[in-house]
Amino acid sequence: MKISILGNSTGRGRRTSAAVALGAMLALTATACGDDGSGGGDGAEGSGKGKIVFWDNNGGVRTEIWKEIIADFEKANPDIDVQYVGIASTEYQSKVDTAIQGGGLPDVGGIGASMLAGFAAQGALTPLDDRLDASSLSGKLNKDMVESLRAAGGGDDKLYSVPTSANNGVLYYRTDLFKKAGLAEPTTWDRFYTAAEKLTDKAGNKFGYTIRGGAGSIAQALDAMYGQSGITSFWDSTGKKTTVNDPKNVQALEKYAGLFKKVTPAADLNNDFTKMVAQWDSGEIGMLNHNLGSYQDHVKALGADTFRGIPQPTGPDGKRVQVSNPVDGIGMFKSSKNKEAAWKFIEFAASAQSNSKFNESAGQVPAHLDAAKDGWISEAEPTKLAAAALSDGSTSIVQLPYYLPDWNTISKAESEPSFQKVLLGDMSAKSFLDGLAEKLNAAQAEWDEQMG
């Protein structure tokens, strides 16, 4: 099963077109730091025993399942003690960047594609290729996920993070509310906008949609833009200019941002994903764009019979365009003084049993090929539907430039406040996207120069 990946034919395009695909049927110590404790220390292999520190890049949301996996690991490895530190996803990059500069890095940390290039560029990570080749994981991980992380690490073709899962954008909608209003399933963008309007009753504090205006808002906005415009590449044919400010994308963002306060709660302006999900789970909102990861939260809050999670809407031509969701993984920091024990933990966490357990809890696609065959996947409808959508030729993925060291900063800290201005009507969609394009084009030019 392959996702259709469309892009340009430049060297950069080839490097970054590694598909975040699902294979056939989802084939899918306070701190141990080196030398002076900074990101530059090379650490040591260590004894393979004692304490290691693990930073979870989605603390709170995934704390319970990680503690369960850690307990399993410590039972199998009684001479190793894993100290768990949960860090909110919105704070993780800044915490790691601060530790790289000032000391205090952990041995192991969650490192997804979106942050990988920045950490690797600072020399903070240990290449894992040789360890992976010699381990029980060799040949057992989804190749597309591995290559996606390899491409996201920069230009040295090294693997700095072992994949654990892939995600996919999902449109969740309340089946009970749709039925009551006599609305068709929001499988197209036209139906989506119609439903958002008809399900809104401001006087009754009921809204058709909840939009993400706080941390993490840009990825969701890009998904809506490209999904409506039908543009299938992040860069133009030259590979030097981004398509984010293409007139079709500008028009799409104007329409999408226009939903704010018209069919969404005013509180959406500052909502990160946890607040947005909690707000939807309260039961008074018709639709939510998130990903597979929040499925279990909705089941607990609403019950499996009151909502569905379907692939993103299609355009007028019946084609679905989505931006890439970053592959998540686990990496080892170079400063670790106990790399042998750190690798044992990574190998255990990415094993079939642990990987299946983690992804069943998270509602995401396992990286381990054996875990991807487990029965729970066919029972999780959004995951099953995502797999079908990605295999029937209807979906194209716009690969985001995770390989750019500045990507995460540009797409988050430097853009989120401006997007809030767009929602409030204080900045035009065109001005916002032109500014974003200028930064991205400059980052790409710098990358091309460095790569020669």
Side-chain angles (χ1 to χ4, degrees), residues 9-238:
S9 58
T10 63
R12 177 209 57 78
R14 288 192 297 272
R15 283 193 300 272
T16 59
S17 65
V20 183
L22 317 182
M25 258 322 287
L26 289 175
L28 295 177
T29 296
T31 56
C33 45
D35 298 342
D36 60 356
S38 70
D42 287 336
E45 283 300 305
S47 64
K49 302 178 181 180
K51 185 168 80 171
I52 59 171
V53 178
F54 167 60
W55 282 9
D56 175 9
N57 60 347
N58 202 0
V61 178
R62 304 286 174 243
T63 295
E64 185 176 339
I65 186 60
W66 271 121
K67 287 191 172 181
E68 186 176 335
I69 291 171
I70 288 170
D72 292 342
F73 174 77
E74 291 178 339
K75 184 176 181 180
N77 298 270
D79 51 358
I80 301 176
D81 174 38
V82 181
Q83 179 182 329
Y84 171 88
V85 179
I87 300 174
S89 60
T90 54
E91 301 175 3
Y92 191 76
Q93 182 181 3
S94 62
K95 292 280 189 183
V96 174
D97 284 338
T98 298
I100 290 173
Q101 298 302 318
L105 282 168
D107 300 272
V108 179
I111 302 176
S114 63
M115 297 183 184
L116 207 161
F119 298 159
Q122 297 178 78
L125 302 173
T126 296
L128 300 174
D129 303 83
D130 291 343
R131 296 176 194 269
L132 179 60
D133 289 342
S135 79
S136 60
L137 298 174
S138 181
K140 290 291 188 177
L141 299 177
N142 184 296
K143 292 181 180 179
D144 293 313
M145 295 188 197
V146 172
E147 289 310 309
S148 180
L149 288 177
R150 192 184 300 280
D156 60 6
D157 201 37
K158 293 180 180 178
L159 183 68
Y160 292 103
S161 183
V162 172
T164 56
S165 57
N167 221 330
N168 199 56
V170 176
L171 176 60
Y172 293 101
Y173 76 97
R174 289 286 300 275
T175 51
D176 54 346
L177 299 181
F178 269 68
K179 182 178 180 180
K180 184 178 180 180
L183 290 165
E185 189 174 46
T187 53
T188 68
W189 282 103
D190 285 344
R191 289 182 177 181
F192 165 81
Y193 281 106
T194 296
E197 184 174 348
K198 289 191 174 181
L199 290 173
T200 297
D201 175 12
K202 290 185 179 180
N205 199 36
K206 297 178 181 179
F207 299 92
Y209 184 61
T210 176
I211 198 169
R212 188 167 179 170
S217 61
I218 305 305
Q220 182 172 301
L222 291 175
D223 220 8
M225 281 166 44
Y226 282 94
Q228 294 174 82
S229 72
I231 295 171
T232 54
S233 176
F234 195 77
W235 303 98
D236 67 8
S237 59
T238 69

Side-chain angles (χ1 to χ4, degrees), residues 32 117 172 202 229 235 241 268 292 302 308 344 348 363 374-375 377 414 416:
Y172 293 101
K202 290 185 179 180
S229 72
W235 303 98
K241 291 186 177 181
D268 282 359
L292 295 170
L302 302 170
R308 290 190 77 196
K344 287 181 182 179
F348 184 91
D374 286 353
I377 292 175
E414 294 183 5
E416 290 169 353

Side-chain angles (χ1 to χ4, degrees), residues 311-334:
Q312 299 283 40
T314 60
D317 59 357
K319 295 291 185 180
R320 179 180 297 103
V321 178
Q322 295 181 209
V323 300
S324 55
N325 271 277
V327 173
D328 205 4
I330 313 176
M332 183 192 304
F333 288 96
K334 185 188 294 185

Side-chain angles (χ1 to χ4, degrees), residues 426-449:
D426 296 333
M427 177 183 286
S428 70
K430 186 178 187 304
S431 293
F432 168 68
L433 292 177
D434 282 345
L436 178 59
E438 183 178 357
K439 294 175 182 178
L440 289 166
N441 293 340
Q444 180 62 39
E446 183 178 354
W447 170 260
D448 286 339
E449 183 178 354

